[in-house]
Each structure stands twice: as structure tokens, then as C-alpha cells.
Amino acid sequence: MAVVVAAAAGGAVALVVADTTGWLARSRTVLARDTLASEGLRQLVVSKPVLSGAFRPSRIYSQRSPGVVTISSEFDGPQSTGIATEIGSGFVVSLGGAVLTAAHVITQQDQHGAVAAKAVYVTFPDGDRVHAKIVGWDLVDDVGVLTINPKSHDLRPIPLGDSRRLAVGEPVAALGSPLGDPNALTVGVISALQRVIPSLITSSDLLDTIQIDAPIAHGNSGGPILNGRGEAIGIAAQTQVGPNGGFDGVGYAVPIHVAQHSLNQLLSTGHVLYAWAGISAEDLTPAIAKRFGYAAQHGALVDGIALGGPASSAGIRPGHRNVTFLDQQITVGGDAVTAVDGIPVTDANDLARIVAEDLRPGEYARFSIARGSRRLELRVQLGSRSYEQQ
């Protein structure tokens, strides 16, 4: 049964061309505005979590809904209409006025890449509406950051949780503005972790999404996904739509630890830097390892490297022979990465995730390699990548 993936906060989106040296480069597109004043860099909120021995949606709603906002983004529309307005959600995360949302809520795509909304407004649950400033965005992880004048409204920031410690089956609540109606709550559970899904706004994948079954709809994108303690553990990003256009019980959220990486850098410097290994890879499975003589059963088969890049300089070898095996095209004869700094690599997505989330530009990382029947360790000094659309 065919399905399509749709943005929870609509608007036409088009793919942009990703970096051709491999998805491990983890390219990021950002818009850098004026550097925030020091008051905009105040410590992210550490307000008290909702204290409860059980999952209590009504308590979560009463405590956290004041920090959730409706975002109205204005773009150039057709000549006959002049202005097109897209509706999404967001949530306040600092007393300095920082607001997290999804990148596709505040941007659109044209032939040149991402285009920022000409004007953005934030509406609080009490109906008060204020102007917001775009700080920047991270297209590949679909994270956007706004700021508002902290004196313009009483701010009730939502604390950020630990999305690295989630469990399948854990109850969650989604807050936002489905169909443009503000202040709505839905509940469900975490259905799966580390889902890899196509991005709606780049040709890359979102590598580490949280799958939930809490209903989310057009307008929910950018809103918080909350745990039982009332902490944001994700940002609503996409929903899967069935053949009849209805919600199939599959929604996706960007983990908050991924979003926080972008948030912190955008607030402090106006741009986002990510570690870069200069590798493209595919999955090493037990069947492939047995057939082609690899010393490990799981890992990331290196099928390409950027010449002169970190992996190339460290001596990592790419595959050189394209074969068909079990009805799949694979590239063999090169190295397989089995761990980075002792963190196991089970497949290509693991390697991309570790480089993007756990490593920093300029660091040295220890890559554990299976080179045929041999095992060795190579020290790689990571590079950095930041793609900006001014």
C-alpha cells in the first residue's frame, strides 16, 4: 500500500541538491542574521519538570501550553494574491526569547535554495501576537530558531529533556496548532527510535527521528513533543499520510538533543558547524561479511571518500569493486568501519549519526576498521562543513 510523507505544517517544498561528496558530510544550510545581544544568550530554561508519578496529560497541558506558540510566516505569493501565509507551531525555550520550530515553517524553497519568510509573527495562547526575528535554520535536521523581544510578553519557557534516554512505549504528548487552531493537545507513545526518513526540504535523510503515534496534523510542525515530566524531547516534523489522505498513526519528531546542537550554535554564532569525515558508506551485514571475507559482521562499508579529506588523509580505503549480491548492488574491496571511539557502528546510518552528533570539527577520532580479514585502528582528524544561504 503506497504512502506519502507530508509536512505537518504545510507549504510547497522542493528538494535542494545535497553535497556530492557523500551524506556523511552532513551539510547544513543556515541563515545568519545579526548576532543576538547578550540577553538573548541566557542559559536555556531549567524550570521544574511536571512532578507526577504517572503520565498526566491534563497536568502537562496546564503547565506547558503557555510556552507553545502559533507561528505565521509570510512569503511572496502569486501576483494575484501578493502574500502567502503558512501556519506552524513553535515553543519558547529561553527567558531571552529564543523560540524553537521546524525549518520548513519559516522557509520555502526556490531554484536557489532556501528562502526566509519575509515576516514572521508569533501568537501566544492568550491571543497576543508579536513580531519574531529569524535567527537561522538547519535544513537537514529541519530545525529553525526565532527570537522575540523578551519584554513583549510574559515568557513561559519549556524545559528540554534528554532524548538520548528514550524508550519505545514511553507515553508522549504533542502540543501545537493543528489546522491553525491553537493550543491543542494529543497523546500517544513512542513507537520507534532512530528512524531514517526522507527529508522534505533537502535530498538528504533525517537520520535519527523519533516515531510516535500521537496524532499530528497540518500546523503541528515545530511544536514540542513532551515526555511525562513535561520536558520537550522532540520537535514535530512530519506525519505519514495513507492513500486516503488520513493519519496512519505514524508521525516523526526531530530529537531534542539534535535540535539543541543547532540551537546553541545559531544563538551564539549565527551558523552551524558539523564534523565531517569525508566518507560515503553502505551497510555491512553478516551475509556480506561471510561472502566477501570481512572480519566483522556489522559495520559501514566504505564505498567512497573525498580525496584529500579526513578519511583519505588517515588512510581509510574505499571499495573498488561493484557487485550484485542478494539482488542488491554493493561496493566491496574497501574498509568497513566497525566503531568510532569505541562506539559500535552497526550500519551506515550509525556512522553518519555518530559523526554528526557525537564528534566535533578538528577533533581526532579513533576509527576501528575491518580490512578484509584484518582489524586495525586509524586516527582521523575530522574536518568541518557549514553550508550557508545568505
Side-chain angles (χ1 to χ4, degrees):
M1 184 176 295
V3 296
V4 296
V5 177
V13 293
L15 297 181
V16 296
V17 178
D19 176 59
T20 58
T21 60
W23 45 260
L24 277 183
R26 302 287 292 161
S27 60
R28 296 303 197 268
T29 303
V30 298
L31 173 69
R33 296 295 193 189
D34 296 336
T35 302
L36 293 180
S38 58
E39 59 267 21
L41 303 178
R42 296 170 68 175
Q43 183 178 4
L44 293 181
V45 65
V46 289
S47 56
K48 294 180 180 179
V50 177
L51 299 178
S52 172
F55 185 68
R56 297 174 59 185
S58 61
R59 182 89 178 269
I60 294 171
Y61 181 83
S62 65
Q63 292 286 328
R64 300 309 184 216
S65 61
V68 181
V69 297
T70 303
I71 296 174
S72 303
S73 300
E74 295 183 353
F75 301 90
D76 285 334
Q79 291 184 353
S80 59
T81 59
I83 296 295
T85 300
E86 294 296 335
I87 302 298
S89 302
F91 55 105
V92 179
V93 294
S94 84
L95 293 172
V99 176
L100 264 178
T101 185
H104 69 262
V105 170
I106 58 174
T107 66
Q108 285 187 339
Q109 308 300 310
D110 66 11
Q111 66 271 25
H112 303 296
V115 177
K118 291 191 171 297
V120 180
Y121 298 92
V122 164
T123 304
F124 289 87
D126 62 4
D128 198 16
R129 181 180 170 99
V130 302
H131 181 266
K133 176 183 176 181
I134 296 178
V135 177
W137 61 72
D138 173 348
L139 285 182
V140 174
D141 277 334
D142 200 3
V143 177
V145 179
L146 305 172
T147 56
I148 57 176
N149 185 339
K151 298 179 180 179
S152 63
H153 193 278
D154 178 37
L155 300 183
R156 298 277 297 276
I158 292 179
L160 307 185
D162 185 356
S163 51
R164 294 179 183 270
R165 299 175 64 86
L166 301 178
V168 172
E170 182 177 339
V172 292
L175 281 171
S177 304
L179 306 179
D181 295 325
N183 235 18
L185 169 78
T186 58
V187 296
V189 299
I190 294 174
S191 304
L193 299 169
Q194 295 186 341
R195 287 298 200 209
V196 178
I197 61 172
S199 171
L200 295 172
I201 47 179
T202 76
S203 58
S204 300
D205 289 333
L206 298 178
L207 294 175
D208 195 14
T209 65
I210 304 165
Q211 181 182 326
I212 63 173
D213 70 350
I216 55 178
H218 178 101
N220 267 112
S221 272
I225 306 300
L226 304 163
N227 62 15
R229 291 168 58 84
E231 300 164 332
I233 50 86
I235 301 175
Q238 300 179 16
T239 187
Q240 188 162 290
V241 178
N244 297 320
F247 177 61
D248 269 0
V250 180
Y252 300 100
V254 174
I256 206 66
H257 74 272
V258 173
Q260 195 168 357
H261 179 243
S262 300
L263 170 68
N264 291 341
Q265 292 197 59
L266 286 170
L267 287 177
S268 61
T269 69
H271 63 275
V272 182
L273 291 177
Y274 282 80
W276 177 61
I279 294 174
S280 64
E282 50 197 286
D283 297 345
L284 173 64
T285 66
I288 294 172
K290 182 177 180 180
R291 170 64 179 80
F292 297 101
Y294 283 93
Q297 292 194 324
H298 294 280
L301 281 175
V302 179
D303 61 16
I305 59 174
L307 294 179
S312 174
S313 298
I316 292 178
R317 299 177 183 176
H320 54 81
R321 186 158 55 99
N322 297 320
V323 300
T324 300
F325 179 65
L326 297 178
D327 202 33
Q328 291 181 315
Q329 293 290 323
I330 59 173
T331 304
V332 297
D335 292 340
V337 181
T338 60
V340 178
D341 283 344
I343 304 172
V345 172
T346 60
D347 56 27
N349 288 327
D350 262 357
L351 180 56
R353 189 179 299 115
I354 292 167
V355 171
E357 296 178 9
D358 297 328
L359 304 178
R360 296 293 177 263
E363 287 183 340
Y364 283 92
R366 188 178 76 257
F367 278 54
S368 300
I369 300 295
R371 181 171 291 170
S373 60
R374 298 172 52 207
R375 290 183 179 268
L376 60 153
E377 304 265 335
L378 295 176
R379 195 165 178 252
V380 178
Q381 185 175 22
L382 299 163
S384 66
R385 287 292 174 93
S386 175
Y387 289 80
E388 299 184 7
Q389 182 71 35
Q390 297 292 347

